[in-house]
């Protein structure tokens, strides 16, 4: 995003709600008032309640999408996980040019059913995935007795 593009985006978004910017870099003075000061450990808590995520970073867009937040990535780089979220689940829109991104953002801002649509998209994505914690617990429970027996047998033979 160009400097003027960022200004245009902020002006567009502030007509619809509060604009918050997270950045690890120094912001131009006129954008500093939008900087969101928070504990980084709470980032996902805040992100989950965002209306939109617009980013130049794939990680933030991906995380927002997984939380059911409509996400726009403006970047020339598109990673595989973003492609899946974009192509298979339609959770992320990617753009190389900011003018194209603005059109998508304006379209989404005008959609009163946006959040309900994204909740369904997110739920569809999550239904396709496994819960790694549940899988690990199940794996350990299934293999614990076998592993314990093998270990006990090895110990008794030594």
């Amino acid at each position: 995003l160009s400097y003027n593009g960022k200004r245009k985006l902020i002006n567009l978004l502030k007509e619809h709600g509060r604009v918050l910017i997270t950045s690890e870099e120094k912001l131009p003075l006129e954008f500093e008032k939008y900087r969101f000061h928070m504990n980084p450990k709470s980032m996902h808590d805040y992100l989950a309640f965002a209306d939109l995520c617009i980013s130049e970073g794939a990680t933030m867009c991906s995380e927002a999408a997984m939380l059911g937040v409509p996400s726009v990535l403006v970047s020339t780089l598109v990673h595989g996980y973003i492609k899946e979220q974009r192509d298979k689940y339609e959770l992320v829109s990617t753009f190389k040019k900011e003018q194209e991104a603005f059109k998508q953002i304006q379209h989404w801002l005008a959609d009163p059913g946006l959040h309900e649509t994204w909740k369904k998209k997110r739920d569809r994505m999550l239904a396709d995935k496994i819960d790694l914690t549940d899988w690990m617990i199940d794996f350990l429970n299934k293999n614990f007795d076998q592993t314990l027996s093998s270990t006990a047998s090895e110990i008794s033979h030594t």
Side-chain angles (χ1 to χ4, degrees):
L1 293 165
S2 68
Y3 182 80
N4 286 333
K6 290 174 184 175
R7 180 185 296 126
K8 179 181 171 184
L9 181 59
I10 289 168
N11 288 330
L12 171 65
L13 294 173
K14 71 182 185 181
E15 292 176 17
H16 297 274
R18 196 165 124 194
V19 176
L20 302 172
I21 298 174
T22 60
S23 179
E24 296 172 5
E25 298 176 5
K26 183 174 170 63
L27 292 175
L29 189 57
E30 76 173 292
F31 300 159
E32 192 61 44
K33 65 184 172 188
Y34 300 104
R35 181 184 291 275
F36 187 43
H37 298 280
M38 48 107 191
N39 183 336
K41 292 179 183 178
S42 301
M43 183 63 212
H44 295 105
D45 296 329
Y46 293 109
L47 190 57
F49 291 97
D51 291 322
L52 294 173
C53 176
I54 302 153
S55 182
E56 294 171 305
T59 301
M60 189 65 70
C61 275
S62 177
E63 292 170 352
M66 293 181 76
L67 293 167
V69 177
S71 303
V72 170
L73 174 62
V74 183
S75 176
T76 56
L77 299 173
V78 179
H79 305 286
Y81 59 96
I82 291 289
K83 287 181 183 178
E84 180 185 49
Q85 290 175 328
R86 179 192 65 198
D87 299 342
K88 186 172 182 179
Y89 300 106
E90 299 177 336
L91 286 163
V92 176
S93 290
T94 61
F95 302 94
K96 292 180 181 177
K97 297 182 179 181
E98 62 190 35
Q99 296 84 0
E100 297 167 355
F102 291 146
K103 290 178 189 174
Q104 181 64 65
I105 293 163
Q106 288 172 318
H107 175 73
W108 283 351
L109 290 171
D111 182 355
L114 185 68
H115 298 284
E116 201 50 43
T117 300
W118 249 253
K119 181 184 179 317
K120 290 175 186 173
K121 290 178 181 189
R122 186 211 53 201
D123 290 349
R124 185 172 71 90
M125 179 200 60
L126 293 177
D128 285 352
K129 306 299 178 189
I130 63 166
D131 181 317
L132 187 57
T133 302
D134 288 345
W135 183 88
M136 288 293 294
I137 290 169
D138 187 52
F139 177 81
L140 292 171
N141 284 337
K142 287 179 181 174
N143 292 291
F144 181 74
D145 289 337
Q146 180 182 349
T147 303
L148 189 60
S149 297
S150 296
T151 303
S153 176
E154 288 175 20
I155 291 171
S156 68
H157 289 19
T158 55

